[in-house]
Amino acid sequence: MNAHRTAYINARLIDPASGLDAPGALLTEGRTIADLGPRLFNEGVPEGTLTIDCKGALLAPGLIDARVFTGEPGAEHKETIRSASKAAAAGGVTTMIVMPNTNPVIDEVALVDYIERRARDTALVHVHPMAALTRGLKGTEMTEMGLLKDAGAVAFTDGDRALANARVLRRALSYARTFDVLVVQHAEEPALSEGGAMNEGELAMRLGLTGIPKLAETMMVERDIRLVELTGARLHFSQVSCAETLEVIASAKGRGLPVTCGVAAHHLALNENDVGAYRTFLKVSPPLRGEDDRLALIDGVLNGTIDIMVSSHDPQAPENKRLPFGEAAFGAIGLETLLAVALSLHNVHDASLIDALKPVTSAPADLLKLPSGRLAKGAPADLILIDPGYPYVVHGDQLRSRTKNTPFDGLRLQGVCLRTVVNGVTAYERAPDAA
Amino acid sequence: MTPTQTQPLPPPPQLAPGAFTHRHLLAIEGLTRGEITALLDLADTYVAQSRLVDKKSSLLRGRTLVNLFFEPSTRTQSSFELAGKRLGADTMNMSVSTSATSKGETLLDTAMTLNAMRPDILVVRHQSSGAPALLAQKVTCSVVNAGDGSHEHPTQALLDALTIRRRLGKFEGVTVAICGDVAHSRVARSNIYCLNALGAQVRVIGPRTLIPAYAERLGVTVYHDMREGLKDVDVVMMLRLQRERMAGALLPSPREYFYYYGLDFEKLSRAKPNAIVMHPGPMNRGVEIDSQVADDKAVSVIHEQVEMGVATRMAVLTALAQHLSNGADA
């Protein structure tokens, strides 16, 4: 008896890691992928194997979202690991990387253990924490990176806070290299962005809002790259938002430096004009920039300057968002819209499906050294079935996150997840007639 | 000659149907020349009414006007209060100190509480840009923006326009210089939109730290040298230097500011000989304006602005009330 064997037949296999895009089938056995390929099951599916007819849908690795904030521990009214994982499963995300910006901050081994235990006991998808880069996110003392790495932290970051002190960052990078851990920076010079609410420019001037200049990001990236040159450590910029930063990163990559960067889905789909008349759901950090920047970011993903795409899922309660724009909290939810934005690279910008899905599958897996994010024998059976062209209108109140602060409310997107498989078991299945 | 009470009052002034159809007055940006002119024409009639012995009419009788001020203000609040009273409305002032909001009640909670008392017009001043717009989405009454953050102060721009029109008789060919902290000024933004819509030429003058980098996009000419910027202007509009808004050090000292950007007779001599001087108040004498200029009735129209303020706000309340009577009581 072959327990937990499932055959996925009549699929279009999409594997960004290998470049495979072909009709075929896939077999999972227990928690792993046992076999796949165009000719698999040509002789029929063996007896005793559960068979799922994919009916021509895309079968791809589940998405890895490398930037997710939850409220657990400390702000469970915003989002728990479980509620976020429900949104993740519905959005085709099979691995969430959660940020350490909780209360208490994830800066000790016991707290990494706590996240992993809560994830194991409550989550529908895989959850891995990034640990704090500095104790309490205070930006002064580094955390126990070696021990935290052994406990399961996949990278080190102060989350939505920039590590501004150059001396602390220099030492943290130097120490990080000892254990070959990844450091993740939120690049925004706080002295230049302080008090800011949206992109600095004509719109901010007209709305009477304090602007956040692009320079706050670009100059910190430039500075940090010098520190990478000095220390040789791996540094990842969590979210880039403007064309100028891409130039700096492309040049550093050209020099062979171990620098990578990510982009938030909303920066690829929206621009500062969407803020309109003070719509606080569009208030994110870094801020939405101009249309030229948005187009440059899409180019950056397609030409490889940008390595990964993230949702930057950041639930905020109504009392933090139903405020005048300047007083409202930063942050937007995005677990359920990440897939559609990734597919827009294919649907709107003519990229191949392989190129569209790579920044949310194999690229983050490689960056974080995870075994998932690929269709390969022996890889984890984390899979999604996708209808890439399905058009729909986002209704914020129908999303599964505990808070509904989506910047896409009322907008049209294309592409849905039909089924999400985690560890070989279906964690989500789209209702057949769901609108 | 003083009019007597026995004179028959003219019929209550009205806007032409369709002249102003907005439910709220949140900003000047987006208003048309026709809408602004209609409000100014109406305000003109209220100037006359306010100079009578019996200043009161009953156009807003039974209506309730609430002044909701999250920022302290004497002149704007009393101006709205008088405007409401002269039109026969019941007026109430609520000054919400910042400590009240730190007790935990949000802006919207406060507004919804007031809204439940069924006011007809809510006049709101708030330190955050966009706060009146946020309220307007949630309440059932009309909202008037009485100044929000660095965004807009629409009634100030209207009263300034009325003052200019009564003095100069036109806007075409008129050049107005707005001087000082344009970057943080809601008065400047509203005046720029208003004067541009009416056909005047607008200049802004100030040091680079106080002029937004994108100011030209508002349709103004930027000057950093005040003497050059004041050359041949018809109107000099000074802004209050709001030192409390200065997040960082934008200026080295009030002394240096006055030396280069304070309005004195020497700098004013560059303007046209009959140029007028305006200030939205309250003035920082010796910082942005020299007392000799401020107090010289030959050039300063600062007190006239205050008088126009009441009349302008009466016009705004009338315009919004006309909309209310079309079914907001349902």
Side-chain angles (χ1 to χ4, degrees), chain A residues 200-202 204-209 277-278 319 321-327, chain B residues 29 107-108 126 128-131 134 138 150-151 189 193 212 214-215 217-218:
Chain A
E200 184 172 288
E202 180 182 351
M205 171 184 70
R206 286 183 183 271
L207 292 171
L209 296 171
Y278 304 103
E319 62 268 25
K321 279 293 191 183
R322 289 172 65 185
L323 292 171
F325 200 89
E327 300 169 27
Chain B
E29 188 179 17
L107 167 67
L108 278 184
H126 198 277
S128 288
S129 301
L134 178 68
K138 307 289 175 188
S150 304
H151 177 224
R189 280 172 184 70
Y193 298 131
Y214 304 85
R217 307 252 182 104
L218 297 174

Side-chain angles (χ1 to χ4, degrees), chain A residues 364-379:
Chain A
D366 292 345
L367 180 70
L368 300 167
K369 302 188 172 171
L370 301 174
S372 52
R374 67 202 75 234
L375 301 184
K377 286 182 196 179

